[in-house]
Amino acid sequence: MMTITKEQFEKIISSATNSTSEVFDMISLHLEEVGLQLRNELLGAMADDLEAVPGLEQCVMKLICLRTYAEQIPQLDLVLTPTGFGVVSNQNLAPASADRVKNLLQQVTNAYEDSYDRCLELLVGTDWADTALARINIPNLIYTARQLKLYADFPDAHRSKLIELRTKMYQAEEKIMQHVSAEFFEHLLEQARHNTFTKEETAMVDYMSKFIGFCIVKNYSAAKNMLERIENYAESRLDAFSSYKDSVAYKAKHFQTYQNEKDDSTYFWG
């Protein structure tokens, strides 16, 4: 997939954790393994064509380094030196306190999760959008922590918080589908993966994301109002929302029973 040098690793880690160069020798054997894991979990065939997307190769390299370091921190005897964290190499060096190591691990994990989200943002709109991995990694309209911060008022959220709240997001999205159809909602998810929203779809996704955010924070009064806005907007923009207009839900909602008209050739006398 890619070869990561000691210099590249230290540049990435030092910017996030002030790590010293000793760490690389302890974890370098695990870099390739993590790279393969990310191919299976996120990148797929794009792992062989990272240069095709500006910024993706650097983002993936950062992702590999941060995840490898985070996974190996519990196995390392770390010491805090004037230049950063290093590995205990003799009996005269005392290991860093448990709190310092815990804080380091959290810092690295947060940076990894933010980098994962950034990779997703770079992948949308590419050939990756048509893959099963795109559906797995973008199963909801809110699919990054940045969006979660915007719509659900979690200023310190990272990807782990997003995953924690996924069940609540599914529940909110199910309510949306009950009102404007599963077909329409699935269409919008596909548009999100391909980064091809129209002007009207952009507005609709903003309304839906606000509704989901209100549901997450249990502001049900605001959620109810936003759901009405979603339905009204869908009804007022039928030409722009053909997947809603053509859906079974729309047809059932607007179904009219047979009217017995006097001029009808099959008029029934009462």
Side-chain angles (χ1 to χ4, degrees), residues 209-246:
S209 297
K210 287 175 179 175
F211 170 77
I212 295 167
F214 289 142
C215 289
I216 289 174
V217 299
K218 300 182 179 181
N219 187 345
Y220 297 123
S221 176
K224 180 182 177 181
N225 293 335
M226 188 56 63
L227 192 58
E228 291 177 357
R229 178 176 294 187
I230 289 169
E231 191 165 16
N232 291 337
Y233 189 63
E235 293 286 340
S236 68
R237 299 289 194 280
L238 292 177
D239 291 341
F241 300 139
S242 59
S243 57
Y244 170 57
K245 185 179 179 181
D246 297 336

Side-chain angles (χ1 to χ4, degrees), residues 115-150:
S115 295
Y116 196 102
D117 280 358
R118 180 56 185 154
C119 283
L120 279 180
E121 292 172 341
L122 292 171
L123 287 166
V124 296
T126 68
D127 292 342
W128 175 86
D130 293 313
T131 67
L133 285 174
R135 295 183 65 85
I136 291 171
N137 281 278
I138 304 181
N140 308 100
L141 283 184
I142 296 177
Y143 60 88
T144 67
R146 179 182 61 79
Q147 293 169 297
L148 188 63
K149 294 174 184 178
L150 178 64

Side-chain angles (χ1 to χ4, degrees), residues 1-2 35 39 43-50:
M1 182 172 161
M2 67 169 61
R39 172 191 286 268
L43 299 168
M46 287 297 295
D48 299 320
D49 196 22
L50 298 176

Side-chain angles (χ1 to χ4, degrees), residues 141-236:
L141 283 184
I142 296 177
Y143 60 88
T144 67
R146 179 182 61 79
Q147 293 169 297
L148 188 63
K149 294 174 184 178
L150 178 64
Y151 288 110
D153 194 25
F154 287 98
D156 299 321
H158 298 280
R159 189 163 185 80
S160 54
K161 187 66 176 179
L162 182 82
I163 295 172
E164 176 189 329
L165 294 170
R166 187 155 280 170
T167 297
K168 291 185 177 180
M169 286 192 281
Y170 280 128
Q171 292 170 341
E173 290 173 349
E174 182 61 33
K175 181 63 69 174
I176 290 173
M177 287 185 272
Q178 290 172 5
H179 283 257
V180 292
S181 83
E183 295 94 329
F184 183 37
F185 189 81
E186 285 298 326
H187 167 74
L188 292 176
L189 270 181
E190 280 298 303
Q191 293 291 83
R193 296 173 189 127
H194 288 84
N195 195 27
T196 50
F197 288 130
T198 65
K199 177 182 177 182
E200 291 81 5
E201 288 169 347
T202 297
M204 178 59 85
V205 168
D206 180 55
Y207 294 152
M208 289 181 174
S209 297
K210 287 175 179 175
F211 170 77
I212 295 167
F214 289 142
C215 289
I216 289 174
V217 299
K218 300 182 179 181
N219 187 345
Y220 297 123
S221 176
K224 180 182 177 181
N225 293 335
M226 188 56 63
L227 192 58
E228 291 177 357
R229 178 176 294 187
I230 289 169
E231 191 165 16
N232 291 337
Y233 189 63
E235 293 286 340
S236 68

